[in-house]
Amino acid sequence: MIEVLAKLGRGPVFLAGEVLECVITFTNPLSASSTSASSEMLAWASAQIHCQFHTSENRVALPPSDGSKHDVQAENETVFVPNRGERGQCILSTPPKILFCDLRLDPGESKSYSYCETLPIDGPPSFRGQSVKYVYKLTIGCQRVNSPIKLLRVPFRVLVLHGLKDYQSSQDEAVAPSNPFLEEEEGLKKDSHLADLATELLMVATSRRSLHLYNISNTRGKVGTFCIFKTVYKIGEDVIGTFNFSEGDIPCLQFSVSLQTEESIQEEFQRRRGQPGSFSTHARHQEACLHTAQSSFSLPIPLSSTPGFTTNIVSLKWRLHFEFVTSGESAGTCLVRGSQSEAVTWTGVEQIEVDTFSWDLPIKVLPTNPILASYVSQFSSTNSITI
């Protein structure tokens, strides 16, 4: 028996273009209960990164595949196919790397191997939508002599920052000073440089603030104004906005604000022409606001959510969805006098004519530092199998 343990040292979330490093340890455990221990042999082990793409057949119409390739591999074959038995299509894969050939482990002995690979910068982000899914995995395959191949799959998340490639090229043209007394591995240096550039680019894009003021009105007149100071955010940030109803002609009884994503299939891949997009709500604020002069809301963007992106098949866009309930009458008629005595009591009317309308404000949501996103990831940094 051999235990195979794969560990992602930095966590299970990466930026496209970063270097993924995984330490894979093979151990022949020494059991205290066993009376006789023997050496174990593995013929080979290899590792490869791949991205699986699968869709909802009810919403997405893909062109027929060539049918010449089969993802499912028989267990007695000796060819390493990382996506064997996986659903969907493999749309992206890195070249396989051999970890070792003919490994012998004595009882209690273990050996570790380091796997490093640069994630393609032009690939799609990890995404689990209602119509489309993009799933990244590192697959480690190993085999005993005259035995079927065993696969250990390590899922991880990829965030894509659009424009990082062009920004990196412009920054690389500038010659940075170097310290000849410090030694640093070229791969780690490049990876650290990419992370620093991504942090700088995100800070520049999301730190700009300017007043955006919108008038809220319906067919009867002005309801109020809405103020927001920026429309570009990172996942993990809060979307904050304020309302001013004091200048409105029409009283607002209630409002709600929802933070939503819209998943839209590109027209040429739609199952039905003109089919609507799929909406998901990530946060919501609702408030009764009759006789309220000002109000505000704060909606957190989940770290586990996917930033906006576009591929040749699907696009994901973020928006704020507003719904307003207004009175069809003036503000003074929304209350009635309860008695004619000196102590005046005002109560709400039993029935009131209302109007409802909605409004959508597009916003832009970008990735964040992958180390920060790792804290809430559903994936584990450590995975193992026994063969």
Side-chain angles (χ1 to χ4, degrees), residues 19-273:
V19 175
L20 179 148
E21 182 174 1
C22 181
V23 176
I24 305 152
T25 303
F26 298 83
T27 305
N28 181 6
L30 182 61
S31 176
S33 59
S34 62
T35 57
S36 61
S38 60
S39 298
E40 296 280 358
M41 293 286 297
L42 282 178
W44 58 266
S46 185
Q48 186 177 8
I49 292 172
H50 60 101
C51 177
Q52 288 295 119
F53 165 71
H54 38 98
T55 64
S56 168
E57 295 182 355
N58 296 329
R59 300 186 58 84
V60 183
L62 294 178
S65 58
D66 55 10
S68 60
K69 295 182 180 180
H70 299 280
D71 291 339
V72 179
Q73 171 197 359
E75 286 193 348
N76 58 355
E77 292 185 10
T78 58
V79 179
F80 174 47
V81 181
N83 60 323
R84 181 188 68 192
E86 291 270 43
R87 292 178 52 202
Q89 305 174 14
C90 179
I91 61 168
L92 181 151
S93 62
T94 60
K97 291 185 178 180
I98 297 175
L99 301 177
F100 61 79
C101 290
D102 297 328
L103 175 65
R104 178 189 179 94
L105 294 175
D106 293 327
E109 184 182 7
S110 65
K111 287 189 177 181
S112 297
Y113 299 86
S114 180
Y115 170 83
C116 294
E117 185 62 81
T118 301
L119 297 172
I121 199 168
D122 53 354
S126 297
F127 177 60
R128 292 181 177 270
Q130 300 182 38
S131 303
V132 170
K133 291 180 174 63
Y134 293 104
V135 181
Y136 280 85
K137 293 180 182 179
L138 165 64
T139 300
I140 300 138
C142 48
Q143 185 181 30
R144 295 175 182 268
V145 178
N146 298 323
S147 298
I149 296 174
K150 298 295 183 179
L151 300 178
L152 169 59
R153 292 193 170 100
V154 182
F156 60 94
R157 181 185 179 192
V158 173
L159 300 173
V160 175
L161 179 56
H162 299 287
L164 180 59
K165 186 176 181 180
D166 298 332
Y167 190 70
Q168 181 183 11
S169 300
S170 64
Q171 293 295 317
D172 287 343
E173 295 177 357
V175 179
S178 60
N179 189 337
F181 301 101
L182 295 178
E183 294 184 0
E184 188 174 10
E185 294 183 15
E186 188 64 27
L188 295 178
K189 182 178 180 181
K190 180 180 178 182
D191 198 28
S192 175
H193 180 58
L194 182 72
D196 291 341
L197 287 180
T199 301
E200 180 180 344
L201 185 59
L202 286 169
M203 185 173 296
V204 171
T206 60
S207 62
R208 298 193 188 104
R209 281 174 168 77
S210 60
L211 179 63
H212 297 78
L213 198 61
Y214 302 90
N215 288 322
I216 306 168
S217 60
N218 60 8
T219 55
R220 294 176 178 268
K222 183 176 180 180
V223 178
T225 58
F226 172 68
C227 173
I228 193 170
F229 283 94
K230 68 174 189 174
T231 56
V232 181
Y233 301 86
K234 295 179 293 186
I235 55 174
E237 288 189 313
D238 293 339
V239 181
I240 299 174
T242 60
F243 294 97
N244 186 348
F245 298 111
S246 61
E247 300 176 356
D249 303 321
I250 307 300
C252 184
L253 306 180
Q254 179 179 284
F255 73 87
S256 67
V257 188
S258 300
L259 179 64
Q260 297 180 338
T261 50
E262 180 184 8
E263 177 187 353
S264 302
I265 304 301
Q266 307 294 358
E267 185 176 355
E268 58 268 32
F269 297 106
Q270 292 180 0
R271 178 64 66 181
R272 299 177 304 278
R273 182 176 296 275

